Amino acid sequence: MGVFDNLKDKATDAVDNHGDKASDGLDRAGDMVDDRTGGQHGDKIDQGVDVAKDRLDGLDGQDDDIENRQ
């Protein structure tokens, strides 16, 4: 098993165990960026947050870890 496989396994375990916290963190980060840009790019920021959640959710091949909410 390579280094990257090991890192992926650790990330998958973290998402499985703490998916709700990761989702909340992504939401907060998106809100912070939206505030700092004065709301000018809110739609793009929301899209980026959704993509990040989808990627984290797909680490284990199941769509159950990260909740997509607005």
Side-chain angles (χ1 to χ4, degrees):
M1 179 182 284
V3 173
F4 291 109
D5 291 329
N6 190 18
L7 289 174
K8 183 182 177 204
D9 289 343
K10 287 182 180 184
T12 300
D13 289 342
V15 170
D16 280 341
N17 294 324
H18 306 289
D20 56 335
K21 291 178 184 176
S23 178
D24 290 342
L26 288 170
D27 287 334
R28 283 191 299 249
D31 290 344
M32 181 190 68
V33 172
D34 193 32
D35 287 342
R36 292 209 176 172
T37 60
Q40 294 176 344
H41 308 288
D43 56 335
K44 297 295 183 187
I45 293 167
D46 289 342
Q47 287 176 350
V49 168
D50 288 343
V51 167
K53 287 180 181 183
D54 288 343
R55 297 299 163 106
L56 284 177
D57 203 12
L59 277 176
D60 62 357
Q62 297 177 12
D63 191 21
D64 64 348
D65 302 323
I66 304 295
E67 184 177 320
N68 284 318
R69 32 185 165 137
Q70 295 291 328

Coordinates of all heavy atoms in Angstrom, one line a residue:
M1 N 0.9 -1.2 0.0 CA 0.0 0.0 0.0 C 0.9 1.2 0.0 O 1.8 1.3 0.8 CB -0.9 0.0 1.2 CG -1.8 1.2 1.3 SD -2.8 1.3 2.8 CE -4.1 0.1 2.4
G2 N 0.6 2.1 -0.9 CA 1.4 3.4 -1.0 C 1.0 4.4 0.0 O 0.0 4.3 0.7
V3 N 1.8 5.5 0.0 CA 1.5 6.6 0.9 C 0.2 7.2 0.6 O -0.6 7.5 1.6 CB 2.7 7.6 0.8 CG1 2.4 8.9 1.6 CG2 4.0 7.0 1.2
F4 N -0.1 7.4 -0.6 CA -1.4 8.0 -1.0 C -2.6 7.2 -0.6 O -3.7 7.7 -0.3 CB -1.4 8.5 -2.4 CG -0.5 9.6 -2.7 CD1 0.7 9.3 -3.5 CD2 -0.7 10.8 -2.3 CE1 1.6 10.4 -3.7 CE2 0.2 11.9 -2.5 CZ 1.3 11.6 -3.3
D5 N -2.4 5.9 -0.8 CA -3.5 5.0 -0.4 C -3.8 5.1 1.1 O -4.9 5.1 1.6 CB -3.2 3.5 -0.7 CG -3.2 3.3 -2.2 OD1 -4.0 4.0 -2.9 OD2 -2.4 2.4 -2.7
N6 N -2.7 5.2 1.9 CA -2.8 5.3 3.3 C -3.5 6.6 3.7 O -4.4 6.6 4.6 CB -1.4 5.2 4.0 CG -1.5 5.1 5.5 OD1 -2.5 4.8 6.0 ND2 -0.4 5.4 6.1
L7 N -3.1 7.7 3.0 CA -3.8 9.0 3.3 C -5.3 9.0 2.9 O -6.1 9.5 3.6 CB -3.1 10.1 2.5 CG -1.7 10.5 3.0 CD1 -1.0 11.5 2.0 CD2 -1.7 11.1 4.4
K8 N -5.6 8.3 1.8 CA -7.0 8.2 1.4 C -7.8 7.4 2.4 O -8.9 7.8 2.8 CB -7.1 7.6 0.0 CG -8.5 7.5 -0.5 CD -8.7 6.8 -1.8 CE -10.2 6.7 -2.1 NZ -10.5 5.7 -3.0
D9 N -7.2 6.3 2.9 CA -7.9 5.5 3.9 C -8.1 6.4 5.2 O -9.2 6.3 5.8 CB -7.1 4.3 4.3 CG -7.1 3.3 3.2 OD1 -7.9 3.4 2.3 OD2 -6.2 2.4 3.2
K10 N -7.2 7.2 5.6 CA -7.3 8.0 6.8 C -8.4 9.1 6.6 O -9.2 9.3 7.4 CB -6.0 8.6 7.2 CG -5.0 7.7 7.8 CD -3.8 8.4 8.2 CE -2.8 7.3 8.8 NZ -1.6 8.0 9.3
A11 N -8.4 9.7 5.4 CA -9.4 10.7 5.1 C -10.8 10.0 5.0 O -11.8 10.6 5.5 CB -9.1 11.3 3.7
T12 N -10.9 8.8 4.5 CA -12.2 8.1 4.4 C -12.7 7.8 5.8 O -13.9 8.1 6.1 CB -12.1 6.8 3.6 OG1 -11.6 7.2 2.3 CG2 -13.4 6.1 3.5
D13 N -11.8 7.4 6.7 CA -12.2 7.1 8.1 C -12.7 8.4 8.8 O -13.7 8.4 9.5 CB -11.1 6.5 8.8 CG -10.8 5.1 8.4 OD1 -11.7 4.4 7.8 OD2 -9.7 4.6 8.7
A14 N -12.0 9.5 8.5 CA -12.3 10.8 9.2 C -13.7 11.2 8.7 O -14.5 11.7 9.5 CB -11.3 11.8 8.9
V15 N -14.0 11.1 7.4 CA -15.3 11.5 6.9 C -16.4 10.6 7.4 O -17.5 11.1 7.7 CB -15.2 11.5 5.3 CG1 -16.6 11.7 4.8 CG2 -14.3 12.6 4.8
D16 N -16.1 9.3 7.5 CA -17.1 8.4 8.0 C -17.4 8.7 9.5 O -18.6 8.6 9.9 CB -16.6 6.9 7.9 CG -16.7 6.3 6.6 OD1 -17.5 6.9 5.8 OD2 -16.1 5.3 6.3
N17 N -16.4 9.1 10.2 CA -16.6 9.3 11.7 C -17.1 10.7 12.0 O -17.7 10.9 13.0 CB -15.3 9.0 12.4 CG -15.0 7.5 12.4 OD1 -15.9 6.7 12.4 ND2 -13.8 7.2 12.3
H18 N -16.7 11.7 11.2 CA -16.9 13.1 11.5 C -17.5 13.8 10.3 O -17.2 15.0 10.1 CB -15.7 13.7 11.9 CG -15.0 13.0 13.1 ND1 -15.5 13.0 14.4 CD2 -13.9 12.3 13.1 CE1 -14.7 12.3 15.1 NE2 -13.7 11.8 14.4
G19 N -18.3 13.2 9.5 CA -18.9 13.8 8.3 C -19.7 15.1 8.6 O -19.7 16.0 7.9
D20 N -20.4 15.0 9.7 CA -21.3 16.2 10.1 C -20.4 17.4 10.4 O -20.7 18.5 10.0 CB -22.2 15.9 11.2 CG -21.5 15.4 12.5 OD1 -20.3 14.8 12.3 OD2 -22.0 15.5 13.6
K21 N -19.3 17.2 11.1 CA -18.4 18.3 11.4 C -17.7 18.8 10.1 O -17.5 20.0 10.0 CB -17.3 17.8 12.4 CG -17.9 17.5 13.8 CD -16.8 17.0 14.7 CE -17.5 16.7 16.0 NZ -16.5 16.1 17.0
A22 N -17.3 17.9 9.2 CA -16.7 18.4 8.0 C -17.7 19.2 7.2 O -17.4 20.2 6.6 CB -16.3 17.2 7.1
S23 N -19.0 18.8 7.1 CA -20.0 19.5 6.4 C -20.2 20.9 7.0 O -20.3 21.9 6.3 CB -21.3 18.7 6.5 OG -22.4 19.4 5.8
D24 N -20.3 21.0 8.3 CA -20.4 22.2 9.0 C -19.2 23.2 8.8 O -19.4 24.4 8.5 CB -20.6 22.1 10.5 CG -21.9 21.4 10.9 OD1 -22.9 21.5 10.0 OD2 -22.1 20.9 12.0
G25 N -18.0 22.6 8.7 CA -16.8 23.4 8.5 C -16.8 23.9 7.1 O -16.4 25.1 6.9
L26 N -17.3 23.1 6.1 CA -17.3 23.6 4.7 C -18.4 24.7 4.6 O -18.1 25.7 3.9 CB -17.7 22.5 3.8 CG -16.6 21.5 3.5 CD1 -17.1 20.3 2.8 CD2 -15.4 22.1 2.8
D27 N -19.5 24.6 5.3 CA -20.5 25.6 5.3 C -20.0 26.9 5.9 O -20.2 28.0 5.3 CB -21.8 25.2 6.1 CG -22.6 24.2 5.3 OD1 -22.5 24.1 4.1 OD2 -23.3 23.4 6.0
R28 N -19.3 26.8 7.0 CA -18.7 28.0 7.7 C -17.7 28.7 6.8 O -17.6 29.9 6.7 CB -18.2 27.7 9.0 CG -19.2 27.5 10.1 CD -18.6 27.4 11.5 NE -17.7 26.2 11.5 CZ -17.9 25.2 12.3 NH1 -18.9 25.1 13.0 NH2 -17.0 24.2 12.2
A29 N -16.8 27.9 6.2 CA -15.8 28.4 5.3 C -16.4 29.1 4.1 O -16.0 30.2 3.8 CB -14.9 27.3 4.8
G30 N -17.5 28.6 3.5 CA -18.1 29.2 2.4 C -18.8 30.5 2.9 O -18.7 31.5 2.1
D31 N -19.4 30.5 4.0 CA -20.0 31.8 4.6 C -18.9 32.8 4.8 O -19.2 34.0 4.5 CB -20.8 31.5 5.9 CG -22.0 30.7 5.6 OD1 -22.5 30.6 4.5 OD2 -22.5 30.1 6.6
M32 N -17.8 32.4 5.3 CA -16.7 33.4 5.6 C -16.2 34.0 4.3 O -16.1 35.2 4.2 CB -15.6 32.7 6.3 CG -14.4 33.7 6.6 SD -12.9 32.9 7.2 CE -12.4 32.0 5.8
V33 N -16.0 33.2 3.3 CA -15.5 33.7 2.0 C -16.6 34.6 1.4 O -16.3 35.6 0.8 CB -15.2 32.5 1.0 CG1 -14.9 33.0 -0.4 CG2 -14.0 31.7 1.6
D34 N -17.8 34.2 1.5 CA -18.9 35.0 0.9 C -19.0 36.4 1.6 O -19.1 37.4 0.9 CB -20.3 34.3 1.1 CG -21.4 34.9 0.3 OD1 -21.1 35.4 -0.8 OD2 -22.5 34.9 0.8
D35 N -18.8 36.4 2.9 CA -18.7 37.7 3.6 C -17.6 38.5 3.2 O -17.7 39.8 3.0 CB -18.6 37.5 5.2 CG -19.9 37.0 5.8 OD1 -21.0 37.1 5.1 OD2 -19.9 36.4 6.9
R36 N -16.4 37.9 3.1 CA -15.2 38.7 2.7 C -15.3 39.2 1.3 O -14.6 40.2 1.0 CB -14.0 37.8 2.9 CG -13.7 37.5 4.3 CD -12.3 37.3 4.6 NE -12.1 37.2 6.1 CZ -11.0 36.8 6.6 NH1 -10.0 36.6 5.9 NH2 -10.9 36.7 7.9
T37 N -16.0 38.6 0.4 CA -16.2 39.1 -1.0 C -17.4 40.0 -1.1 O -17.7 40.4 -2.2 CB -16.2 37.9 -2.0 OG1 -17.4 37.1 -1.7 CG2 -15.0 37.1 -2.0
G38 N -18.0 40.3 0.0 CA -19.2 41.1 -0.1 C -20.4 40.5 -0.8 O -21.2 41.2 -1.3
G39 N -20.5 39.2 -0.8 CA -21.6 38.5 -1.4 C -21.6 38.6 -2.9 O -22.6 38.1 -3.6
Q40 N -20.5 39.0 -3.5 CA -20.4 39.2 -5.0 C -20.4 37.8 -5.7 O -20.8 37.8 -6.9 CB -19.2 40.0 -5.4 CG -19.3 41.4 -5.0 CD -18.0 42.1 -5.3 OE1 -17.0 41.5 -5.6 NE2 -18.0 43.5 -5.3
H41 N -19.9 36.8 -5.1 CA -19.7 35.5 -5.7 C -20.4 34.4 -5.0 O -20.0 33.3 -5.0 CB -18.2 35.2 -5.8 CG -17.4 36.3 -6.4 ND1 -17.5 36.6 -7.8 CD2 -16.6 37.2 -5.9 CE1 -16.7 37.6 -8.0 NE2 -16.1 38.0 -6.9
G42 N -21.5 34.7 -4.3 CA -22.2 33.8 -3.5 C -22.6 32.5 -4.2 O -22.5 31.4 -3.7
D43 N -23.1 32.6 -5.5 CA -23.5 31.4 -6.2 C -22.3 30.5 -6.5 O -22.4 29.3 -6.4 CB -24.3 31.8 -7.5 CG -23.5 32.7 -8.4 OD1 -22.6 33.5 -7.9 OD2 -23.7 32.7 -9.6
K44 N -21.2 31.1 -6.9 CA -20.0 30.3 -7.2 C -19.5 29.6 -5.9 O -19.0 28.5 -5.9 CB -18.9 31.1 -7.8 CG -19.3 31.7 -9.2 CD -19.5 30.6 -10.2 CE -19.8 31.2 -11.5 NZ -20.2 30.2 -12.5
I45 N -19.5 30.4 -4.8 CA -19.0 29.8 -3.5 C -19.9 28.6 -3.1 O -19.4 27.6 -2.7 CB -19.0 30.9 -2.5 CG1 -17.9 32.0 -2.8 CG2 -18.7 30.3 -1.1 CD1 -18.0 33.2 -2.0
D46 N -21.2 28.8 -3.2 CA -22.1 27.7 -2.9 C -21.9 26.5 -3.8 O -21.9 25.3 -3.3 CB -23.6 28.2 -3.1 CG -24.0 29.1 -2.0 OD1 -23.4 29.2 -0.9 OD2 -25.1 29.8 -2.2
Q47 N -21.6 26.7 -5.1 CA -21.3 25.6 -6.0 C -20.0 24.9 -5.5 O -19.9 23.7 -5.5 CB -21.1 26.1 -7.4 CG -22.4 26.5 -8.1 CD -22.2 27.0 -9.5 OE1 -21.1 27.3 -9.9 NE2 -23.3 27.2 -10.2
G48 N -19.0 25.7 -5.1 CA -17.8 25.1 -4.7 C -17.9 24.3 -3.4 O -17.3 23.2 -3.3
V49 N -18.7 24.8 -2.5 CA -19.0 24.1 -1.2 C -19.7 22.8 -1.6 O -19.4 21.7 -1.0 CB -19.8 24.9 -0.2 CG1 -20.3 24.1 0.9 CG2 -18.9 26.1 0.3
D50 N -20.7 22.8 -2.5 CA -21.4 21.6 -2.8 C -20.5 20.6 -3.5 O -20.6 19.4 -3.2 CB -22.6 21.9 -3.8 CG -23.7 22.6 -3.0 OD1 -23.8 22.6 -1.8 OD2 -24.5 23.2 -3.7
V51 N -19.6 21.0 -4.3 CA -18.6 20.1 -5.0 C -17.7 19.5 -3.9 O -17.4 18.3 -4.0 CB -17.8 20.8 -6.1 CG1 -16.6 20.0 -6.5 CG2 -18.7 21.2 -7.3
A52 N -17.2 20.3 -3.0 CA -16.3 19.8 -2.0 C -17.1 18.7 -1.1 O -16.5 17.7 -0.8 CB -15.9 20.9 -1.1
K53 N -18.3 19.0 -0.8 CA -19.1 18.0 0.0 C -19.3 16.7 -0.8 O -19.2 15.6 -0.3 CB -20.5 18.6 0.4 CG -20.4 19.6 1.5 CD -21.8 20.1 1.8 CE -21.7 21.2 2.8 NZ -23.1 21.7 3.2
D54 N -19.6 16.8 -2.1 CA -19.8 15.7 -2.9 C -18.5 14.8 -3.0 O -18.5 13.6 -3.0 CB -20.2 16.1 -4.4 CG -21.6 16.6 -4.5 OD1 -22.4 16.3 -3.5 OD2 -21.9 17.2 -5.5
R55 N -17.3 15.5 -3.1 CA -16.1 14.8 -3.2 C -15.8 14.1 -1.9 O -15.3 12.9 -1.9 CB -14.9 15.7 -3.5 CG -15.0 16.4 -4.9 CD -15.0 15.3 -6.0 NE -15.5 15.9 -7.2 CZ -14.8 16.2 -8.2 NH1 -13.5 16.0 -8.2 NH2 -15.3 16.6 -9.3
L56 N -16.0 14.7 -0.7 CA -15.8 14.1 0.5 C -16.8 12.9 0.7 O -16.4 11.9 1.2 CB -16.0 15.1 1.7 CG -14.8 16.1 1.9 CD1 -15.2 17.0 3.0 CD2 -13.5 15.4 2.2
D57 N -18.0 13.1 0.3 CA -19.0 12.1 0.5 C -18.7 10.9 -0.4 O -19.0 9.7 0.0 CB -20.4 12.6 0.0 CG -21.5 11.9 0.7 OD1 -21.3 11.0 1.6 OD2 -22.7 12.1 0.3
G58 N -18.0 11.1 -1.5 CA -17.7 10.0 -2.4 C -16.4 9.3 -2.1 O -16.1 8.3 -2.8
L59 N -15.7 9.6 -1.0 CA -14.5 8.9 -0.7 C -14.7 7.4 -0.4 O -13.9 6.6 -0.8 CB -13.9 9.5 0.6 CG -13.0 10.8 0.4 CD1 -12.6 11.3 1.7 CD2 -11.8 10.5 -0.5
D60 N -15.8 7.1 0.2 CA -16.1 5.7 0.5 C -17.0 5.1 -0.5 O -17.5 3.9 -0.4 CB -16.6 5.5 1.9 CG -17.9 6.1 2.2 OD1 -18.4 6.8 1.3 OD2 -18.4 6.0 3.3
G61 N -17.4 5.8 -1.6 CA -18.3 5.3 -2.6 C -19.7 5.3 -2.2 O -20.6 4.7 -2.9
Q62 N -20.1 5.9 -1.0 CA -21.5 5.9 -0.6 C -21.9 7.4 -0.4 O -21.1 8.2 -0.1 CB -21.6 5.2 0.8 CG -21.2 3.8 0.7 CD -21.3 3.1 2.1 OE1 -21.8 3.7 3.0 NE2 -20.8 1.9 2.2
D63 N -23.1 7.6 -0.7 CA -23.7 9.0 -0.6 C -24.4 9.1 0.8 O -25.6 9.4 0.8 CB -24.6 9.3 -1.7 CG -25.0 10.7 -1.9 OD1 -24.3 11.5 -1.3 OD2 -26.0 11.0 -2.5
D64 N -23.6 9.0 1.9 CA -24.3 9.1 3.2 C -23.5 9.8 4.2 O -24.0 10.0 5.3 CB -24.5 7.7 3.7 CG -23.2 6.9 4.0 OD1 -22.2 7.4 3.5 OD2 -23.3 5.8 4.6
D65 N -22.4 10.3 3.9 CA -21.5 10.9 4.9 C -21.8 12.4 5.1 O -21.9 12.9 6.2 CB -20.0 10.7 4.6 CG -19.7 9.3 4.5 OD1 -20.3 8.5 5.2 OD2 -18.9 8.9 3.6
I66 N -21.8 13.2 4.0 CA -21.9 14.6 4.1 C -23.3 15.0 3.6 O -23.8 14.6 2.6 CB -20.9 15.3 3.2 CG1 -19.5 14.8 3.6 CG2 -21.0 16.8 3.2 CD1 -19.0 15.2 4.9
E67 N -24.0 15.8 4.4 CA -25.3 16.3 4.1 C -25.2 17.6 3.3 O -24.5 18.5 3.7 CB -26.1 16.6 5.4 CG -27.5 17.0 5.2 CD -28.2 17.1 6.5 OE1 -28.0 16.3 7.4 OE2 -29.0 18.1 6.6
N68 N -25.8 17.6 2.1 CA -25.8 18.9 1.3 C -27.0 19.7 1.8 O -28.1 19.3 1.6 CB -25.9 18.6 -0.2 CG -24.6 18.1 -0.7 OD1 -23.6 18.6 -0.4 ND2 -24.7 17.0 -1.6
R69 N -26.7 20.8 2.4 CA -27.7 21.7 2.8 C -27.3 23.1 2.6 O -26.2 23.5 2.5 CB -28.1 21.6 4.3 CG -27.0 21.2 5.2 CD -27.4 20.9 6.6 NE -26.3 20.2 7.2 CZ -25.8 20.5 8.4 NH1 -26.4 21.3 9.1 NH2 -24.8 19.8 8.8
Q70 N -28.3 24.0 2.4 CA -28.0 25.4 2.1 C -28.3 26.2 3.3 O -29.0 26.0 4.2 CB -28.9 25.8 1.0 CG -28.6 25.2 -0.3 CD -27.3 25.5 -0.9 OE1 -26.8 26.6 -0.7 NE2 -26.6 24.6 -1.5

